[in-house]
Amino acid sequence: MKNSGDYFFKNAEKNRASAKYDRALGLYKKALKFFKRNNDVTGVLNCFLSIADTLRAKGDFIKAQTYYKEGLNLAEILDDTASEADALAGLGLCDRALGRWKNALEQINKSYRIYKFLNDKNGEAFSLWAKAGAYRISGNIKKALQIYQSSLKKFKFLKNKSGVSYSYCGLGGSSRVAKRFGDSEKYYRLANKNFQGLNDRFGLAYSYCGLGNARRMHGDYKQALVFFNRAAKLYKKIGDRVSYAYTLW
């Protein structure tokens, strides 16, 4: 039904999938208002988590954490363990982005245990990917590379092309820090090719930035700038201020 909570939520999901984050946030908030008015607690929970995911994608990690915490509290009241795991993973990713890698690992490990208990294979692979990134932030690059390989293996088995591509990006970044510049470029190229097929604008921006760094490490500054400019344009269009700033840097 038009102008219902479900109508706004479905449209918000479509916009988020296209990386139209500001439009998605406006629609999620309209849906949230409807669900609250009708005492639809499941709808409210889904909105909390989706708003949080969208804010995190935009780089607004502090505000995203507020919504993840709201979602976590509601999931615990409803005894919705799957949503609990999603909220914990989201909180961990926000902590990771803010440099709080110890907190991040704590939250992500909790989410992993729940996903494992629920036999949610995609959730397990996702939390491994998140965990690897936290180890990278901590400076344990060897551990990060090992866990990214595990998430890649799981996503490949599940035929989850998006998960595979983000694992490639994780491997690309960690390989660069490990001074394996050839591996770094290889992984980012694989990710970029996949993201083009998936029409994932955020993923494309991420992989272009990685390719720019890979070329920079090879001393090919001209091509590096081509890739960085592509990444910057996409990040600016998406509205991800943090990634845009990093690309400019």
Side-chain angles (χ1 to χ4, degrees), residues 139-147:
N140 192 338
I141 306 304
K142 187 180 178 184
K143 188 97 170 170
L145 284 166
Q146 286 171 348
I147 300 174

Side-chain angles (χ1 to χ4, degrees), residues 169-186:
C169 280
L171 284 164
S174 295
S175 296
R176 183 180 73 251
V177 179
K179 297 185 179 179
R180 301 176 186 173
F181 305 136
D183 284 349
S184 178
E185 186 162 20
K186 175 188 76 177

Side-chain angles (χ1 to χ4, degrees), residues 213-231:
N213 272 320
R215 284 289 86 206
R216 179 168 65 92
M217 301 318 286
H218 281 104
D220 183 359
Y221 304 119
K222 189 178 178 182
Q223 190 58 41
L225 284 169
V226 170
F227 287 130
F228 283 138
N229 285 333
R230 286 180 192 173

Side-chain angles (χ1 to χ4, degrees), residues 72 80-86 88 108-120 124:
L72 182 60
D80 184 339
T81 46
S83 294
E84 227 179 294
D86 292 343
L88 285 164
I108 293 161
N109 283 331
K110 281 182 190 173
S111 74
Y112 177 78
R113 286 194 291 271
I114 297 172
Y115 286 132
K116 202 164 179 62
F117 172 75
L118 295 171
N119 199 31
D120 181 342
E124 282 181 47

Side-chain angles (χ1 to χ4, degrees), residues 68-124:
Y68 280 129
K69 283 172 186 170
E70 293 268 24
L72 182 60
N73 290 336
L74 191 51
E76 285 170 350
I77 291 164
L78 296 172
D79 201 23
D80 184 339
T81 46
S83 294
E84 227 179 294
D86 292 343
L88 285 164
L91 282 166
L93 286 168
C94 289
D95 274 330
R96 190 185 83 174
L98 294 163
R100 303 167 187 158
W101 60 270
K102 284 182 183 174
N103 283 354
L105 282 172
E106 193 181 320
Q107 310 274 26
I108 293 161
N109 283 331
K110 281 182 190 173
S111 74
Y112 177 78
R113 286 194 291 271
I114 297 172
Y115 286 132
K116 202 164 179 62
F117 172 75
L118 295 171
N119 199 31
D120 181 342
K121 300 296 182 187
N122 272 298
E124 282 181 47

